[in-house]
Amino acid sequence: MMKTTPTLLVLLFISFCGFAQNWQYNKNRIAISFDGNSAADNQYKWPIGDPDDWGASAASLAILAKLNLQKQLVHCSYNNFIDAPAGPDSENQLKISLEGGAERWNFNKSVLFDVTTQLVKAKKHLAAEMAKSTAKDPLYFMHAGLSEFVYQAVELVAKSKDSTALKHVYVLSHSGFNENEKRRPYHHTWSDIQKLSGNKLQYKKIIDQNNKNNPNDLWNSGKDFSVWYWMRDHADPNIQWLYTRMQAHSHGVADISDCGLLYYLLIGDEKGNPEKFKAFIGDGIPTKRNKK
């Protein structure tokens, strides 16, 4: 029998009540854009992609699924390093994580977009979700990748008759790198996005979700995977799969830091960690298959 701790009691209460409301969130629409490209971009100073998103994307779906919020995910784009090359599907780690998580936890795969192969479709889709936003139906956007893709989506809305809808788009970030890094000189930063929107976008930045110096703090334990062995040894095979997605990191780093955005939004805690996540996941995540 699983030991009941104070943290677990709080999380069980959340599961019965829905979730902890935070930043005015109330089962509203959610959009996410990850970077994490698998293919090398030889025109950039660091040719490799960003492998932390390979595990973080799967963990993000797990958080949503645990709270039965699959339908609230209306847009999820990935590999969003604009102008970077596409990799083969067999090595496309974001595709493996997101399509694998969607299959396991019953997400709508039609809201998943690989930006390297579906740029126009992806940015039009995100723009459409932004453009329909109202005070009663806001969009919460998790900024888990670089800014250029978001800039291009906001540009479509800013030039349209629906530009006032941007007042009801909430952008959550934790990374100055994601906000400010440019892979090409002509790309844009977060400040460019906000200027383009006429400062309409609602914006919040929580603490950086990485602390490699302390494996028990936040969502990046460096080379120490032991704090995540509970996933490896879990009775739910889908949680075991989640551990393998963390292991996929090309440098052997246990980093799922971007999932801290959703953990904050839905649980109200910007200081998640392996032990809290273990309590949150509990006995696992129900699926249609294991309910039969």
Side-chain angles (χ1 to χ4, degrees):
M1 181 179 293
M2 184 170 56
K3 183 179 179 181
T4 301
T5 64
T7 300
L8 180 55
L9 288 173
V10 171
L11 290 166
L12 288 172
F13 175 78
I14 289 170
S15 70
F16 282 110
C17 296
F19 45 83
Q21 289 191 12
N22 198 58
W23 202 25
Q24 305 169 30
Y25 182 81
N26 186 21
K27 287 193 175 180
N28 309 111
R29 291 174 299 124
I30 292 173
I32 312 174
S33 190
F34 296 100
D35 44 45
N37 295 55
S38 301
D41 180 4
N42 292 315
Q43 295 184 49
Y44 182 60
K45 58 187 176 183
W46 299 316
I48 63 168
D50 192 1
D52 67 305
D53 289 30
W54 302 353
S57 56
S60 294
L61 293 190
I63 290 171
L64 288 166
K66 181 65 180 181
L67 294 174
N68 197 30
L69 294 175
Q70 289 95 326
K71 291 182 179 179
Q72 275 64 44
L73 183 64
V74 297
H75 173 94
C76 183
S77 46
Y78 59 95
N79 290 337
N80 80 359
F81 288 153
I82 301 297
D83 298 320
D89 283 353
S90 62
E91 300 172 14
N92 191 334
Q93 297 295 335
L94 264 294
K95 184 182 181 71
I96 293 168
S97 289
L98 287 166
E99 292 194 352
E103 175 66 25
R104 284 166 172 79
W105 297 313
N106 311 304
F107 285 85
N108 179 3
K109 288 186 179 181
S110 71
V111 305
L112 305 178
F113 299 92
D114 185 340
V115 175
T116 56
T117 59
Q118 300 173 291
L119 172 58
V120 174
K121 187 175 181 179
K123 67 183 180 182
K124 284 184 177 179
H125 187 268
L126 178 56
E129 291 297 335
M130 290 179 170
K132 69 171 69 168
S133 301
T134 65
K136 292 184 178 180
D137 183 23
L139 177 69
Y140 284 78
F141 178 77
M142 306 296 103
H143 191 23
L146 297 193
S147 295
E148 177 62 21
F149 171 72
V150 188
Y151 182 93
Q152 293 188 20
V154 170
E155 186 175 33
L156 294 177
V157 185
K159 292 180 177 179
S160 75
K161 60 181 178 59
D162 300 311
S163 61
T164 56
L166 293 172
K167 295 189 298 184
H168 308 296
V169 176
Y170 290 72
V171 179
L172 186 62
S173 173
H174 79 100
S175 170
F177 184 86
N178 282 346
E179 293 173 357
N180 300 312
E181 182 67 11
K182 299 193 293 185
R183 294 183 75 88
R184 301 290 189 272
Y186 46 85
H187 284 180
H188 298 87
T189 65
W190 162 248
S191 62
D192 296 324
I193 295 172
Q194 189 64 300
K195 182 178 179 181
L196 176 66
S197 79
N199 292 306
K200 294 184 181 74
L201 293 167
Q202 308 299 314
Y203 165 78
K204 185 169 187 139
K205 186 174 183 178
I206 60 174
I207 62 170
D208 192 302
Q209 297 294 289
N210 296 274
N211 183 3
K212 292 180 285 187
N213 297 318
N214 182 355
N216 297 296
D217 185 40
L218 299 171
W219 302 91
N220 181 349
S221 59
K223 299 280 188 175
D224 186 353
F225 279 79
S226 66
V227 294
W228 306 102
Y229 282 171
W230 60 268
M231 288 187 192
R232 181 196 66 183
D233 303 330
H234 203 283
D236 183 341
N238 292 328
I239 304 305
Q240 297 172 25
W241 171 81
L242 189 59
Y243 181 75
T244 69
R245 297 317 302 149
M246 181 186 292
Q247 284 185 303
H249 194 293
S250 56
H251 298 295
V253 176
D255 179 3
I256 53 172
S257 50
D258 280 336
C259 78
L261 292 169
L262 278 174
Y263 191 79
Y264 168 76
L265 181 70
L266 303 177
I267 303 302
D269 185 359
E270 64 179 325
K271 295 185 177 181
N273 60 41
E275 191 62 28
K276 289 180 181 178
F277 196 37
K278 178 181 178 181
F280 174 76
I281 293 296
D283 291 333
I285 301 175
T287 67
K288 289 179 181 178
R289 283 191 297 275
N290 63 29
K291 284 182 179 178
K292 290 181 179 179

